[in-house]
Amino acid sequence: MSTVLLYAAGVLIFAVGLIISIAWHEAGHLTFAKLFGVRVTQYMVGFGKTIWSRKRGETEYGFKAIPLGGYIRMIGMVPPGKDGRRRMDSTVSSPLGVFRQIAEQSRQADRAEITQADEGRQFYQLHPFKRIIVMLAGPAQNLIFAVVLFGISMMAIGIPVASTTIHDVSACVIPVAASGEQQRSTCEPGDAATPAAQAGLQPGDTVTAVNGTPITEWTQFQQIIAESGGSTIELTYTRGGASDTVAVPIVATQRPDYDANGALVGAHRIGFLGVSPDEPYVAQGLGSAFVRTGDFVVAATHAVARIPQRIPAVWEAIVDHSRSDPDRPMGIIGAGRIGGEILAQDWSVQDKVAWVLNLLAGFNMSLFLLNLLPLLPLDGGHILGAVIDWVRRGWAGMRRRARPRPFDVATLMPVAYVVALLFIGLSLLTAVADIVNPVQLFG
């Protein structure tokens, strides 16, 4: 299959994974909403024009033209006004009036379909705990999906583990770039040959000992080489079943140091041989997979928390067409391109499947974490409203007061508009950056 077709297949696989992830998320909301008796009028994957739908019972199920999200429409997300009527008498002559107008417009739109038959079946009428469950079920689906995908990757495929077999032999020793210059990665005339190349080491050779000390792990070998700069070692290796020992003068070279933003900040002295290890996949047991999944969750949480401080890197990628910072936020377009690049690489099937699974797991983990932010219109905003309602009920009970009215989430709608605009702005910004200066993870 050609590289172009493989690239297209990778993009398609990610797109299908995206749609499944969204549908799976909304299915969580739908399941518990129906379980608790809330009337659900729509279950939709996508936004915009409906391209297919079918009505089953009281719910319309369908797909829309833009598969960048989804929703279920539950009756009574917003409680009625204090007097039970839909009010549209707020003035817009002040900022407070504007906020009230937005809140009342949101209330009117939400409650337009409600009939007397919906009494007791409206979302706001659920106990706050049930409301939390309904809204938490969507992100929880993404967390489950991410853990399952990552677990499959860990246990069925495994992780690359460096062996003592040589995978690649570097041809030359590349000097560290001067301050402010780009570090090159290819050899140029005049570069000295690496000790490994001079000694005749080849890919497939297995290192068995250094100076008579048996080598059982690549990290052990690495440490010896790092400490041997400027001296000669006796390296024993096997090739084709035969063992040989060769004297190798390890050069002392400078290794570049980078800061958290990937900028070159200096170098340190280290021994250099010029080989990289073969990294076969090793399937992980349940315990190891569990630990690594926990590490994956923690790393994803840190990555999402760093999104605000990494936004300037997105702008820099647009205005500066040098290599895009691989640590900057990416949107759907960028992630889709990465999916295409994965399948287009000259890798083994194991490599490609592992990368795709981890990409989709990371995407679902991001959906889980972002949706938990306590801001409307995200799920976390509705969870916050239910928590506030629950606390108010508890406080009233402790003081032997009448149960207060349900917390009016309509009052938070002005914030929801601001949050939505910020997300749209960030999505457009990342989309432009992903088109004009995409992240290149593979060269």
Side-chain angles (χ1 to χ4, degrees), residues 268-287:
H268 63 278
R269 190 177 176 84
I270 193 172
F272 180 71
L273 175 62
V275 294
S276 60
D278 194 20
E279 297 182 320
Y281 280 88
V282 178
Q284 303 296 294
L286 181 61

Side-chain angles (χ1 to χ4, degrees), residues 66-77:
I66 307 173
L68 298 180
Y71 64 92
I72 67 167
R73 190 181 300 281
M74 294 182 285
I75 289 296
M77 293 286 289

Side-chain angles (χ1 to χ4, degrees), residues 217-236:
E217 295 181 352
W218 185 263
T219 53
Q220 174 195 9
F221 181 52
Q222 251 183 336
Q223 184 65 29
I224 293 174
I225 297 301
E227 297 172 352
S228 300
S231 62
T232 298
I233 64 170
E234 295 292 324
L235 189 150
T236 303

